[in-house]
Amino acid sequence: MLSVPALIGRLASATALLACCASASAHDPGCSALTDPPARLACYDQQFPPLLSSAQAYQEQATAQFGQRGGNGANPVVIDQLSARLHRQHQQGRQEVIELDNGQRWLVTEGRLPPLPVGSPLTVRKAALSGHQLLTEQGLAVRVRRLP
């Protein structure tokens, strides 16, 4: 049985495909006359670039909103964790800030991390009761809060 987000994603993809096909048949740029399959596909891809699937778009939006206050409100896809790599670790006043390679910034609110090498894999997940935890590859965990 499909979950509601998966069903929404499939319906949106099917609708986009139907719209694309209807548009392609109404405005054939001459690609259908090409006999070489790779050339025909390249012609259609140039005229009608492939769309990002709705499920992928929702997933990317959920990842971008993860940890923000009020995030995921209008987004039916909710994620419990994300994985990224360390871009920068620095002090902001007396507090430690972790910047990820996806552009997100997290403030360490409880605990302390040793200096980590740039590119270290990190996971941010929802904590058991509330808030978020940042976990290192070595199993170290600290509580964090997403910065705007």
Side-chain angles (χ1 to χ4, degrees):
M1 185 168 177
L2 290 175
S3 66
V4 173
L7 183 60
I8 290 171
R10 286 190 181 184
L11 287 173
S13 295
T15 303
L17 180 62
L18 287 173
C20 178
C21 292
S23 174
S25 64
H27 306 291
D28 184 4
C31 299
S32 61
L34 298 173
T35 57
D36 180 43
R40 187 172 53 249
L41 178 60
C43 177
Y44 277 117
D45 281 350
Q46 183 179 9
Q47 295 297 320
F48 308 100
L51 301 173
L52 182 65
S53 80
S54 295
Q56 285 175 309
Y58 285 132
Q59 185 69 28
E60 288 178 9
Q61 184 181 9
T63 299
Q65 292 178 354
F66 182 75
Q68 290 180 336
R69 292 183 180 171
N72 294 331
N75 191 347
V77 177
V78 178
I79 59 174
D80 293 324
Q81 69 178 29
L82 64 86
S83 296
R85 296 202 173 269
L86 178 67
H87 175 70
R88 183 173 174 223
Q89 178 181 12
H90 63 95
Q91 293 295 120
Q92 184 173 314
R94 300 185 83 196
Q95 297 179 306
E96 184 176 12
V97 175
I98 304 295
E99 295 181 21
L100 304 178
D101 63 353
N102 64 8
Q104 294 182 0
R105 297 178 39 208
W106 294 84
L107 177 71
V108 177
T109 58
E110 290 179 29
R112 185 152 175 80
L113 289 173
L116 300 170
V118 170
S120 296
L122 300 172
T123 301
V124 182
R125 68 179 184 194
K126 289 186 178 181
L129 298 176
S130 68
H132 295 85
Q133 276 188 324
L134 183 138
L135 293 104
T136 68
E137 192 175 39
Q138 296 79 20
L140 299 172
V142 294
R143 291 186 64 85
V144 292
R145 177 175 49 88
R146 174 93 183 260
L147 293 172

